[in-house]
């Protein structure tokens, strides 16, 4: 049908009645998200005074334009970035059944479980696994031909109560803890072997404070640094084909970046199976700078590692990494200034990522839309944030158009 209309149009144009350049004219005159408004406006114009008196032609113009707008509208993030990297999103099983499901199918070709595969949720008692939420997400990915990233096998947060203590509540030995880590990783990685192509094996073990090195966690106080290399080995034994990542935030601040680089270099030198670095990408409208972002990607890619942005969002507030109480004057509104800065920041981030497409092998957003983000309650509870590309009604924001028009 599209073909017929177009060839009829062509015929009219070659007859000399050609005054129509629907596609070009419209694309230039309006941003893609204004198609509907512009079309209505055009139609009204024709109703009042058809340009050539040729109603048939005017109708065809409207129909073709509608079709081209519809085709444009069907493209999602993943389609714009098909020549670059997969576009992912972190989800709960609930959003896969809700109104978000359609948006997820349209825009994303990779999924991460926001919480369902973390040790606390998936392994609540020793030897008892809660598979259903994680399975639901993996199944959705499979049914929709999406990639699946696993998050995360070893982290200091969201751990189950039993993990670090014995039956009497006493802290376990290093041997017992490593044995528990091995059992956990083997069970989880084996279950999703062939379905999860990349795992965040170890998450956030480097301290934020430049005067420290490793984070002072239960894992570290019981095992020393050994648990890190072991986690990668256990994961590799369970699925030799999976790509294994070290994942962290604040990776553009020079001190932390250097410590991560030092740790990862030592792992590589020891022959530990590590294939990539996850830069979480919990960024803000104020940071990182283009220079720091490029520097981080360069530095890790130079180690021969794949780089993925694993948890992208752009907070409209300055970054803070520790919880705190709300302040009385705490803003909650998405102001035009925030919006403008966010458009610019998202534009910069994706320009850089496209530029590094040979090193950057995946980009994942942390949550679907501004309707709900983990940043609504972190680091300040009840402070609304607007960090994503879709608004609270699941509509693309101006920052979305900035990211896809290049
Ligand atoms: C990430 N940490 C975690 O990797 C992810 O699993 C979680 O759902 C959200 C964010 C970021 C982080 C943090 O947990 C604590 C302080 C700063 C940043």
């Amino acid at each position: 049908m599209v073909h017929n209309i177009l060839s009829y149009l062509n015929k009219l144009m070659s007859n000399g009645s050609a005054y129509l350049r629907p596609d070009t004219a419209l694309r230039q005159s309006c941003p893609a998200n204004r198609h509907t408004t512009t079309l209505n406006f055009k139609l009204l114009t024709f109703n009042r005074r058809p340009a050539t008196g040729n109603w048939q032609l005017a109708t065809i113009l409207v129909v073709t334009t509608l079709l081209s707008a519809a085709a444009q509208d069907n493209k999602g993030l993943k389609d714009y970035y098909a020549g670059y990297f997969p576009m992912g999103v972190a989800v709960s099983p609930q959003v896969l059944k809700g109104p978000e499901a359609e948006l997820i199918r349209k825009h994303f070709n990779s999924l991460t479980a926001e919480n369902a595969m973390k040790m606390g949720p998936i392994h609540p008692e020793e030897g008892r696994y809660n598979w259903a939420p994680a399975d639901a997400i993996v199944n959705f990915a499979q049914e929709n031909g999406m990639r699946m990233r696993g998050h995360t096998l070893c982290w200091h947060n969201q751990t189950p109560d039993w993990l670090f203590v014995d039956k009497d509540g006493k802290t376990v030995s290093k041997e017992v803890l490593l044995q528990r880590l091995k059992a956990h990783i083997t069970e989880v990685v084996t279950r999703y072997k062939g379905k999860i192509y990349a795992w965040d094996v170890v998450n956030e073990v480097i301290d934020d404070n430049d005067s420290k090195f490793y984070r002072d966690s239960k894992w570290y106080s019981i095992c020393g640094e050994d648990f890190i290399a072991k986690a990668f080995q256990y994961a590799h034994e369970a699925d030799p084909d999976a790509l294994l990542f070290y994942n962290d935030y604040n990776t553009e601040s020079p001190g932390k970046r250097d410590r991560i680089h030092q740790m990862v270099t030592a792992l590589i030198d020891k022959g530990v199976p590590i294939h990539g670095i996850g830069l979480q990408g919990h960024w803000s409208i104020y940071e990182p700078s283009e220079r720091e972002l490029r520097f981080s990607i360069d530095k890790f890619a130079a180690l021969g590692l794949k780089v993925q942005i694993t948890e992208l969002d752009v907070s409209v507030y300055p970054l803070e990494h520790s919880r705190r109480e709300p302040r009385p004057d705490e803003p909650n509104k998405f102001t035009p200034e925030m919006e403008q800065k966010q458009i610019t920041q998202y534009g910069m981030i994706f320009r850089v990522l496209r530029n590094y497409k040979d090193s950057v092998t995946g980009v994942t957003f942390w949550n679907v839309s501004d309707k709900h983000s983990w940043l609504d309650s972190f680091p300040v509870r009840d402070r609304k944030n607007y960090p994503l590309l879709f608004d609270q009604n699941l509509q693309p924001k101006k920052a979305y158009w900035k990211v896809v028009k290049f």
Side-chain angles (χ1 to χ4, degrees):
M1 146 137 149
V2 188
H3 181 77
N4 287 345
I5 295 171
L6 286 177
S7 55
Y8 182 64
L9 248 184
N10 264 339
K11 208 163 93 195
L12 291 172
M13 285 183 181
S14 55
N15 280 345
S17 33
Y19 66 98
L20 293 171
R21 302 286 302 278
D23 281 27
T24 18
L26 266 185
R27 284 222 188 94
Q28 281 165 5
S29 69
C30 63
N33 57 342
R34 291 275 180 272
H35 271 309
T36 326
T37 329
T38 313
L39 285 169
N40 290 341
F41 167 74
K42 287 245 161 184
L43 197 53
L44 283 179
T45 313
F46 289 133
N47 284 344
R48 246 183 271 127
R49 186 161 51 83
T52 62
N54 185 342
W55 280 98
Q56 209 171 8
L57 198 54
T59 311
I60 290 167
L61 165 68
V62 173
V63 171
T64 24
T65 315
L66 273 171
L67 286 169
S68 99
Q72 179 95 355
D73 235 45
N74 272 337
K75 275 179 95 171
L77 264 183
K78 63 173 168 45
D79 306 304
Y80 290 102
Y81 278 82
Y84 293 87
F85 29 72
M87 284 287 198
V89 61
V91 297
S92 63
Q94 290 74 31
V95 296
L96 302 178
K97 294 196 209 104
E100 284 91 351
E102 199 186 324
L103 182 146
I104 292 168
R105 283 195 195 90
K106 172 169 170 176
H107 290 282
F108 299 102
N109 51 6
S110 178
L111 293 184
T112 302
E114 181 184 4
N115 291 302
M117 294 183 189
K118 290 172 180 169
M119 204 163 177
I122 208 170
H123 197 171
E125 284 168 42
E126 185 161 22
R128 182 172 75 80
Y129 290 84
N130 175 30
W131 297 120
D135 283 359
I137 297 170
V138 173
N139 290 342
F140 186 94
Q142 297 249 296
E143 283 158 15
N144 291 285
M146 298 169 167
R147 288 161 184 266
M148 182 81 215
R149 299 189 84 262
H151 177 85
T152 175
L153 297 168
C154 181
W155 189 31
H156 62 283
N157 271 335
Q158 293 182 258
T159 51
D161 293 340
W162 60 270
L163 181 62
F164 301 113
V165 288
D166 64 16
K167 294 192 297 300
D168 306 321
K170 280 182 39 201
T171 300
V172 292
S173 66
K174 174 175 175 178
E175 288 64 37
V176 170
L177 187 55
L178 287 180
Q179 199 281 322
R180 288 179 176 183
L181 179 64
K182 181 173 188 179
H184 173 77
I185 290 181
T186 307
E187 191 80 17
V188 175
V189 173
T190 304
R191 182 175 184 89
Y192 300 117
K193 191 173 168 163
K195 297 182 177 171
I196 289 187
Y197 83 102
W199 273 102
D200 293 330
V201 178
V202 175
N203 201 28
E204 304 177 350
V205 294
I206 296 296
D207 207 288
D208 282 309
N209 186 329
D210 281 348
S211 66
K212 297 192 176 145
F213 196 88
Y214 288 113
R215 177 186 295 277
D216 185 16
S217 70
K218 278 268 170 54
W219 288 108
Y220 187 70
S221 65
I222 297 173
C223 298
E225 65 188 77
D226 286 356
F227 74 94
I228 301 166
K230 293 273 192 229
F232 281 94
Q233 276 153 13
Y234 301 150
H236 187 62
E237 280 159 26
D239 184 356
D241 294 328
L243 297 175
L244 306 183
F245 281 72
Y246 174 72
N247 193 48
D248 213 330
Y249 65 90
N250 216 359
T251 48
E252 291 66 45
S253 73
K256 191 162 176 188
R257 173 171 54 213
D258 285 351
R259 288 193 295 284
I260 296 172
H261 186 267
Q262 203 179 316
M263 174 188 73
V264 168
T265 306
L267 290 174
I268 295 171
D269 289 348
K270 276 202 289 184
V272 172
I274 174 169
H275 312 111
I277 287 284
L279 310 179
Q280 289 186 3
H282 290 300
W283 293 323
S284 89
I285 56 177
Y286 306 106
E287 57 187 299
S289 67
E290 175 166 353
R291 193 177 150 276
E292 294 297 3
L293 176 55
R294 287 184 181 275
F295 202 87
S296 283
I297 301 174
D298 272 331
K299 194 165 170 117
F300 292 116
L303 291 173
L305 296 172
K306 299 187 187 329
V307 176
Q308 297 199 350
I309 311 302
T310 50
E311 308 186 15
L312 180 58
D313 41 30
V314 175
S315 168
V316 299
Y317 307 111
L319 286 186
E320 293 176 77
H321 299 300
S322 311
R323 277 187 198 283
R324 66 164 172 83
E325 288 302 304
R327 284 193 283 262
D329 62 335
E330 206 82 66
N332 258 318
K333 290 267 175 304
F334 189 40
T335 64
E337 291 74 22
M338 289 171 174
E339 181 180 46
Q340 200 46 55
K341 284 199 167 66
Q342 192 180 52
I343 295 169
T344 308
Q345 183 71 333
Y346 262 119
M348 180 280 282
I349 291 168
F350 276 90
R351 180 164 42 76
V352 170
L353 298 180
R354 289 192 302 273
N355 204 229
Y356 280 100
K357 70 171 180 153
D358 294 335
S359 312
V360 175
T361 62
V363 175
T364 294
F365 287 83
W366 210 246
N367 300 126
V368 180
S369 77
D370 291 350
K371 193 167 120 183
H372 163 77
S373 153
W374 75 292
L375 294 171
D376 293 339
S377 47
F378 184 89
V380 181
R381 76 182 140 77
D382 295 336
R383 182 185 65 173
K384 183 70 193 146
N385 211 324
Y386 307 87
L388 298 160
L389 293 182
F390 300 94
D391 69 16
Q392 293 180 81
N393 300 314
L394 309 184
Q395 298 306 306
K397 291 159 66 177
K398 286 183 193 155
Y400 172 89
W401 297 108
K402 180 81 181 179
V403 164
V404 301
K405 296 281 158 204
F406 54 86

mmCIF file of all heavy atoms in Angstrom, residues 114-115 118 151 155 157-158 203-204 247 249 280 282 311 321 366 374 378, ligand 1:
data_model
loop_
_atom_site.group_PDB
_atom_site.id
_atom_site.type_symbol
_atom_site.label_atom_id
_atom_site.label_comp_id
_atom_site.label_asym_id
_atom_site.label_seq_id
_atom_site.Cartn_x
_atom_site.Cartn_y
_atom_site.Cartn_z
ATOM 1 N N GLU A 114 16.766 -5.763 38.128
ATOM 2 C CA GLU A 114 17.185 -4.708 39.063
ATOM 3 C C GLU A 114 17.555 -5.311 40.420
ATOM 4 O O GLU A 114 18.575 -4.947 41.001
ATOM 5 C CB GLU A 114 16.077 -3.663 39.235
ATOM 6 C CG GLU A 114 16.502 -2.541 40.177
ATOM 7 C CD GLU A 114 15.413 -1.518 40.455
ATOM 8 O OE1 GLU A 114 14.275 -1.696 39.972
ATOM 9 O OE2 GLU A 114 15.707 -0.544 41.164
ATOM 10 N N ASN A 115 16.724 -6.220 40.912
ATOM 11 C CA ASN A 115 16.974 -6.826 42.234
ATOM 12 C C ASN A 115 16.917 -8.348 42.256
ATOM 13 O O ASN A 115 17.501 -8.974 43.136
ATOM 14 C CB ASN A 115 15.932 -6.304 43.247
ATOM 15 C CG ASN A 115 16.142 -4.831 43.544
ATOM 16 O OD1 ASN A 115 17.219 -4.427 43.987
ATOM 17 N ND2 ASN A 115 15.139 -4.018 43.270
ATOM 18 N N LYS A 118 19.990 -10.594 42.898
ATOM 19 C CA LYS A 118 20.919 -10.290 43.999
ATOM 20 C C LYS A 118 20.824 -11.395 45.042
ATOM 21 O O LYS A 118 19.786 -12.050 45.183
ATOM 22 C CB LYS A 118 20.576 -8.928 44.592
ATOM 23 C CG LYS A 118 20.910 -7.780 43.642
ATOM 24 C CD LYS A 118 20.384 -6.464 44.144
ATOM 25 C CE LYS A 118 20.726 -5.337 43.170
ATOM 26 N NZ LYS A 118 20.006 -4.085 43.490
ATOM 27 N N HIS A 151 22.953 -9.699 37.242
ATOM 28 C CA HIS A 151 23.390 -8.704 38.241
ATOM 29 C C HIS A 151 22.882 -9.156 39.591
ATOM 30 O O HIS A 151 21.674 -9.283 39.735
ATOM 31 C CB HIS A 151 22.822 -7.341 37.857
ATOM 32 C CG HIS A 151 23.134 -6.257 38.847
ATOM 33 N ND1 HIS A 151 24.316 -5.549 38.820
ATOM 34 C CD2 HIS A 151 22.433 -5.760 39.905
ATOM 35 C CE1 HIS A 151 24.314 -4.640 39.789
ATOM 36 N NE2 HIS A 151 23.190 -4.754 40.461
ATOM 37 N N TRP A 155 28.177 -8.951 46.238
ATOM 38 C CA TRP A 155 28.018 -7.525 46.590
ATOM 39 C C TRP A 155 27.857 -7.421 48.096
ATOM 40 O O TRP A 155 27.384 -8.366 48.731
ATOM 41 C CB TRP A 155 26.766 -6.986 45.859
ATOM 42 C CG TRP A 155 26.562 -5.498 45.917
ATOM 43 C CD1 TRP A 155 27.524 -4.537 45.992
ATOM 44 C CD2 TRP A 155 25.299 -4.809 45.899
ATOM 45 N NE1 TRP A 155 26.939 -3.295 46.002
ATOM 46 C CE2 TRP A 155 25.578 -3.421 45.945
ATOM 47 C CE3 TRP A 155 23.960 -5.220 45.832
ATOM 48 C CZ2 TRP A 155 24.578 -2.448 45.938
ATOM 49 C CZ3 TRP A 155 22.961 -4.250 45.817
ATOM 50 C CH2 TRP A 155 23.263 -2.884 45.860
ATOM 51 N N ASN A 157 25.842 -5.259 49.623
ATOM 52 C CA ASN A 157 24.458 -4.885 49.950
ATOM 53 C C ASN A 157 23.484 -5.973 49.528
ATOM 54 O O ASN A 157 23.780 -6.787 48.659
ATOM 55 C CB ASN A 157 24.070 -3.606 49.199
ATOM 56 C CG ASN A 157 24.419 -2.366 49.989
ATOM 57 O OD1 ASN A 157 24.518 -2.403 51.224
ATOM 58 N ND2 ASN A 157 24.627 -1.261 49.285
ATOM 59 N N GLN A 158 22.271 -5.916 50.090
ATOM 60 C CA GLN A 158 21.204 -6.874 49.763
ATOM 61 C C GLN A 158 21.702 -8.320 49.842
ATOM 62 O O GLN A 158 21.436 -9.136 48.965
ATOM 63 C CB GLN A 158 20.602 -6.538 48.380
ATOM 64 C CG GLN A 158 19.852 -5.192 48.394
ATOM 65 C CD GLN A 158 19.213 -4.850 47.064
ATOM 66 O OE1 GLN A 158 19.729 -4.034 46.292
ATOM 67 N NE2 GLN A 158 18.064 -5.452 46.769
ATOM 68 N N ASN A 203 30.646 -6.601 42.569
ATOM 69 C CA ASN A 203 30.090 -5.247 42.520
ATOM 70 C C ASN A 203 30.666 -4.394 43.653
ATOM 71 O O ASN A 203 30.617 -4.800 44.822
ATOM 72 C CB ASN A 203 28.560 -5.368 42.687
ATOM 73 C CG ASN A 203 27.784 -4.168 42.172
ATOM 74 O OD1 ASN A 203 28.232 -3.477 41.251
ATOM 75 N ND2 ASN A 203 26.618 -3.915 42.752
ATOM 76 N N GLU A 204 31.240 -3.257 43.300
ATOM 77 C CA GLU A 204 31.540 -2.190 44.270
ATOM 78 C C GLU A 204 32.463 -2.578 45.420
ATOM 79 O O GLU A 204 32.161 -2.295 46.579
ATOM 80 C CB GLU A 204 30.215 -1.637 44.838
ATOM 81 C CG GLU A 204 29.262 -1.143 43.752
ATOM 82 C CD GLU A 204 27.914 -0.655 44.316
ATOM 83 O OE1 GLU A 204 27.648 -0.867 45.499
ATOM 84 O OE2 GLU A 204 27.133 -0.075 43.545
ATOM 85 N N ASN A 247 32.003 -4.456 38.278
ATOM 86 C CA ASN A 247 31.049 -3.357 38.128
ATOM 87 C C ASN A 247 31.187 -2.374 39.293
ATOM 88 O O ASN A 247 31.265 -2.787 40.443
ATOM 89 C CB ASN A 247 29.640 -3.984 38.140
ATOM 90 C CG ASN A 247 28.540 -3.063 37.685
ATOM 91 O OD1 ASN A 247 28.669 -2.413 36.639
ATOM 92 N ND2 ASN A 247 27.461 -2.990 38.445
ATOM 93 N N TYR A 249 30.531 2.131 40.643
ATOM 94 C CA TYR A 249 30.073 3.502 40.382
ATOM 95 C C TYR A 249 31.198 4.474 40.696
ATOM 96 O O TYR A 249 32.230 4.080 41.248
ATOM 97 C CB TYR A 249 28.832 3.823 41.221
ATOM 98 C CG TYR A 249 29.079 3.835 42.713
ATOM 99 C CD1 TYR A 249 29.457 5.004 43.370
ATOM 100 C CD2 TYR A 249 28.939 2.673 43.466
ATOM 101 C CE1 TYR A 249 29.686 5.018 44.735
ATOM 102 C CE2 TYR A 249 29.171 2.673 44.830
ATOM 103 C CZ TYR A 249 29.550 3.845 45.462
ATOM 104 O OH TYR A 249 29.793 3.855 46.815
ATOM 105 N N GLN A 280 28.962 1.913 36.055
ATOM 106 C CA GLN A 280 27.521 1.929 36.345
ATOM 107 C C GLN A 280 26.825 3.086 35.636
ATOM 108 O O GLN A 280 25.728 2.926 35.123
ATOM 109 C CB GLN A 280 27.284 1.993 37.852
ATOM 110 C CG GLN A 280 27.630 0.687 38.565
ATOM 111 C CD GLN A 280 27.262 0.704 40.044
ATOM 112 O OE1 GLN A 280 26.695 1.664 40.553
ATOM 113 N NE2 GLN A 280 27.581 -0.385 40.725
ATOM 114 N N HIS A 282 25.813 5.983 37.070
ATOM 115 C CA HIS A 282 24.881 6.776 37.886
ATOM 116 C C HIS A 282 25.428 8.201 37.897
ATOM 117 O O HIS A 282 26.157 8.594 38.797
ATOM 118 C CB HIS A 282 24.763 6.197 39.302
ATOM 119 C CG HIS A 282 24.054 4.890 39.322
ATOM 120 N ND1 HIS A 282 22.750 4.747 38.880
ATOM 121 C CD2 HIS A 282 24.461 3.658 39.684
ATOM 122 C CE1 HIS A 282 22.386 3.483 38.993
ATOM 123 N NE2 HIS A 282 23.407 2.787 39.473
ATOM 124 N N GLU A 311 24.351 0.810 34.401
ATOM 125 C CA GLU A 311 23.242 1.275 35.248
ATOM 126 C C GLU A 311 22.957 2.759 35.004
ATOM 127 O O GLU A 311 22.840 3.544 35.937
ATOM 128 C CB GLU A 311 23.579 1.050 36.741
ATOM 129 C CG GLU A 311 24.011 -0.372 37.065
ATOM 130 C CD GLU A 311 24.193 -0.631 38.557
ATOM 131 O OE1 GLU A 311 23.730 0.191 39.372
ATOM 132 O OE2 GLU A 311 24.788 -1.651 38.900
ATOM 133 N N HIS A 321 26.733 9.992 47.499
ATOM 134 C CA HIS A 321 26.802 8.532 47.554
ATOM 135 C C HIS A 321 26.376 7.945 48.889
ATOM 136 O O HIS A 321 26.421 6.738 49.070
ATOM 137 C CB HIS A 321 28.205 8.062 47.171
ATOM 138 C CG HIS A 321 28.582 8.464 45.779
ATOM 139 N ND1 HIS A 321 27.863 8.061 44.674
ATOM 140 C CD2 HIS A 321 29.563 9.258 45.302
ATOM 141 C CE1 HIS A 321 28.399 8.588 43.580
ATOM 142 N NE2 HIS A 321 29.436 9.316 43.939
ATOM 143 N N TRP A 366 19.083 2.270 34.292
ATOM 144 C CA TRP A 366 18.659 1.698 35.585
ATOM 145 C C TRP A 366 17.247 2.196 35.889
ATOM 146 O O TRP A 366 17.067 3.270 36.430
ATOM 147 C CB TRP A 366 19.658 2.050 36.691
ATOM 148 C CG TRP A 366 19.699 0.977 37.739
ATOM 149 C CD1 TRP A 366 19.298 1.094 39.044
ATOM 150 C CD2 TRP A 366 20.163 -0.378 37.578
ATOM 151 N NE1 TRP A 366 19.484 -0.120 39.691
ATOM 152 C CE2 TRP A 366 20.005 -1.030 38.820
ATOM 153 C CE3 TRP A 366 20.687 -1.121 36.504
ATOM 154 C CZ2 TRP A 366 20.363 -2.381 39.029
ATOM 155 C CZ3 TRP A 366 21.032 -2.451 36.704
ATOM 156 C CH2 TRP A 366 20.863 -3.062 37.951
ATOM 157 N N TRP A 374 14.998 4.271 41.307
ATOM 158 C CA TRP A 374 15.576 4.050 42.645
ATOM 159 C C TRP A 374 16.049 5.372 43.244
ATOM 160 O O TRP A 374 16.102 5.518 44.457
ATOM 161 C CB TRP A 374 16.730 3.031 42.571
ATOM 162 C CG TRP A 374 18.003 3.572 41.978
ATOM 163 C CD1 TRP A 374 18.215 3.956 40.687
ATOM 164 C CD2 TRP A 374 19.236 3.822 42.667
ATOM 165 N NE1 TRP A 374 19.492 4.422 40.532
ATOM 166 C CE2 TRP A 374 20.155 4.331 41.727
ATOM 167 C CE3 TRP A 374 19.673 3.633 43.983
ATOM 168 C CZ2 TRP A 374 21.458 4.687 42.053
ATOM 169 C CZ3 TRP A 374 20.982 3.979 44.306
ATOM 170 C CH2 TRP A 374 21.853 4.503 43.355
ATOM 171 N N PHE A 378 16.815 7.384 46.934
ATOM 172 C CA PHE A 378 18.249 7.375 47.244
ATOM 173 C C PHE A 378 18.937 8.552 46.560
ATOM 174 O O PHE A 378 18.697 8.770 45.383
ATOM 175 C CB PHE A 378 18.905 6.056 46.770
ATOM 176 C CG PHE A 378 20.356 5.971 47.157
ATOM 177 C CD1 PHE A 378 20.737 5.420 48.375
ATOM 178 C CD2 PHE A 378 21.351 6.490 46.323
ATOM 179 C CE1 PHE A 378 22.083 5.380 48.743
ATOM 180 C CE2 PHE A 378 22.687 6.448 46.696
ATOM 181 C CZ PHE A 378 23.051 5.889 47.901
HETATM 182 C C1 LIG B 1 23.877 0.412 42.408
HETATM 183 N N1 LIG B 1 24.690 0.931 43.433
HETATM 184 C C2 LIG B 1 23.770 -1.095 42.481
HETATM 185 O O1 LIG B 1 24.760 -1.696 41.696
HETATM 186 C C3 LIG B 1 22.409 -1.590 42.046
HETATM 187 O O2 LIG B 1 22.355 -2.975 42.246
HETATM 188 C C4 LIG B 1 21.304 -0.931 42.804
HETATM 189 O O3 LIG B 1 20.040 -1.444 42.437
HETATM 190 C C5 LIG B 1 21.391 0.515 42.612
HETATM 191 C C6 LIG B 1 22.581 1.098 42.429
HETATM 192 C C7 LIG B 1 24.957 2.329 43.369
HETATM 193 C C8 LIG B 1 25.299 2.976 44.666
HETATM 194 C C9 LIG B 1 24.978 2.439 45.886
HETATM 195 O O4 LIG B 1 24.329 1.297 45.947
HETATM 196 C C10 LIG B 1 25.335 3.075 47.084
HETATM 197 C C11 LIG B 1 25.978 4.248 47.035
HETATM 198 C C12 LIG B 1 26.247 4.795 45.827
HETATM 199 C C13 LIG B 1 25.912 4.176 44.659
#
